Amino acid sequence: MKILVCISCVPDTTSKITIDPSTSQISSQGLTFIVGPYDDYALSRAIELKESTGAEVIVLHVGGSESEALIRKCLALGADSAVRVDGNPTTSAQIANAIVSYVNQNPMDLILMGKESIDYNSGIVHGLVAGALGYTHFNPVMHLDIAGYGLKLEVEMDGGKMEVSCPLPAVLGCQEPIAEWKIPSMRGIMTARTKEIVVLPLESIGQIQIVKADIAETARKNKMIKAEDAEQLIDLLRTETNVL
Amino acid sequence: MKKVAIIAQTKEGQLSDTSIQLISFLSSFTPESILLVAIGEVKFASLPASKSVDVITLSEGLWADSSSIEPLLKIVDGFTVFGIKSIQVDNLLSLLAASSSQEMISGVQQLTYSAGKFTISKSIFSGKASLTVTSESASYFSLNRNFDFSGNAAYGDQSISSVTTLTNASGSKASILALKPITGAIPLPDAALVVGAGRGLKDPGNWTIVEDLAKALGAATACSKPVSDLNWRPHHEHVGQTGVKISPNLYIACGISGAIQHLAGVNGSRIVVVINNDPEAPFFKHADYGIVGDVNDILPRLTKKLQSH
Ligand SMILES: Cc1cc2nc3c(=O)[nH]c(=O)nc-3n(C[C@H](O)[C@H](O)[C@H](O)COP(=O)(O)OP(=O)(O)OC[C@H]3O[C@@H](n4cnc5c(N)ncnc54)[C@H](O)[C@@H]3O)c2cc1C
Ligand SMILES: Nc1ncnc2c1ncn2[C@@H]1O[C@H](COP(=O)(O)O)[C@@H](O)[C@H]1O
């Protein structure tokens, strides 16, 4: 079985996001990048499946060469090989399209992604890839088991969960508790050095134009109420803000 | 935008208020036709529109692959398709968009349309920033639950011109083994009022004070990640970076420190109240109202006050 894990490389969750005034875009100054936390869940489950079933795990990232250290980390965790589609994608369609082109050349049984990237928060790349390839799609998946020639999944839905079975090939968006995040072993780090990262070009497609980025300022009132007057809160919520 | 379609989830036959607002909002662009694709049954009394609306309801079942969405794809061909963000809506929109080679924008916070061009503000970094984009060609849009309708609610006479039910008889290749709806509680993503609690509650047994307050308010309950990791509360209650993102009118955070990953899930809330016994808790900087105090003292008093009138 061949499993493709698509990873986003995103600013660490504690990053302070700033705008570069000269470009009106998000500044990359002072940001530390990590593999998207949901993508990390997807990768961890793929590695577990490799250990239990002997699956082959390939990691794919669409982005620039600055992400290679993070791709190496995925290899150190146990992925067999990696692909980087080189470029600076600005839309979900470009990312999805790059993944679809790769899979058209290299058919996969299972494609795992995070339920969303924590920079763009779109939550759609997996659906776009599934739609274009005609694969079965589920998102967000909380448990994944191989059952016969297909999968048994627990999937969150609006207002509950469902258990489904589906055939391969499939594209899944993953979320916890699908697997435990893993830490690379020393041996993993050593062997990752010699594993291959194939670099492919990114086709530019799509018509969405980015005009500018802005920081969202949510002004909060920051009013303190003394503990002994706590009941006042209810009055303030009723009169000052009309939320009750 | 000659033809617009709205994909909306219904609950017990009702459309959500935001879906209704969306229909009114889109009517203001005076399209030639409006199509409502309802996931689940829809009772028509709940449908206000200033134009006649065609309705398609999707039968129960999975709409999770190209073969099952084929009939729907033919119907929405040529439409500009909108939905209010939810798991099912986004999954369906993205499958439809890619199956018809259309571009999709998700996380839309503001949208204007003029001279054939959309200008969109999309929230990014869990609401910490936004991106302004323009597009002449994108035709699938998923709007945030707290989308800025800017008071646009031109409720008019309702009239339904036709209703069709689509079944995915052609067959999804997947099948449902079991459905586990969350019963009883108010679903977190839809809730207008939310009471969240964290490790400051010390023990799962102490959650009665949180539940009592939520009940007195008619609010849903939420928790921080460590609390669900410890199995004190169910996983689906955890809000934040890796959990549910909420945007209620009111969020009351009890015994939660206010880590940035927690804030990422709740900073879309209109009013934030923080109750914490540590005056230095970072959450206070992100609060509209703060009370430095012990949850065991404050929460029951708030509940009592609400119950008294
Ligand atoms: C990649 C990543 C993703 C993460 N995702 C999430 C996420 O989605 N959601 C999330 O919540 N966290 C997330 N976290 C964890 C996050 O960083 C914090 O550790 C977590 O939010 C802290 O939870 P807490 O506030 O309940 O606990 P604590 O930080 O332990 O805070 C407890 C608070 O309770 C107060 N307190 C104690 N006793 C009382 C009392 N009697 N009365 C009143 N107050 C009291 C204390 O002063 C303290 O401020 C993530 C972390 C990482 C690294
Ligand atoms: N640049 C990228 N390269 C590879 N995979 C990506 C990229 N961006 C997003 N993804 C995958 O798509 C998922 C959903 O992303 P999004 O639709 O942007 O929220 C992520 O969790 C990743 O698994």
Side-chain angles (χ1 to χ4, degrees), chain A residues 187-201:
Chain A
R187 204 180 101 85
I189 295 169
M190 298 303 286
T191 51
R193 291 197 185 148
T194 54
K195 287 181 185 169
E196 190 185 17
I197 303 179
V198 174
V199 180
L200 301 171

Side-chain angles (χ1 to χ4, degrees), chain B residues 8 12 17 78 168 207 211-212 241-242 260 267 295:
Chain B
E12 287 155 12
D17 288 346
N168 56 357
W207 244 262
E211 279 165 345
D212 289 346
Q241 184 85 70
T242 52
I260 195 149
N267 60 15
V295 286

Side-chain angles (χ1 to χ4, degrees), chain A residues 13 37 181, chain B residues 198-200 202 224-227 238-243 255-259 261-262 275-278 281 293-296:
Chain A
T13 51
W181 285 331
Chain B
R199 206 146 48 180
K202 304 284 190 334
S224 66
K225 180 166 151 57
V227 162
H238 126 231
V239 292
Q241 184 85 70
T242 52
I256 300 178
S257 57
Q261 295 93 352
H262 184 83
I275 302 166
N276 196 305
N277 63 1
D278 174 7
D294 187 332
V295 286
N296 298 300

Side-chain angles (χ1 to χ4, degrees), chain B residues 269-299:
Chain B
S269 309
R270 192 155 81 74
I271 297 291
V272 173
V273 174
V274 171
I275 302 166
N276 196 305
N277 63 1
D278 174 7
E280 302 296 321
F283 218 149
F284 283 121
K285 290 204 190 70
H286 305 273
D288 290 291
Y289 301 105
I291 303 176
V292 178
D294 187 332
V295 286
N296 298 300
D297 165 40
I298 308 289
L299 301 197

Side-chain angles (χ1 to χ4, degrees), chain B residues 151-167:
Chain B
N152 188 312
Y155 289 66
D157 296 331
Q158 62 194 61
S159 90
I160 309 285
S161 50
S162 77
V163 182
T164 321
T165 300
L166 269 191
T167 51

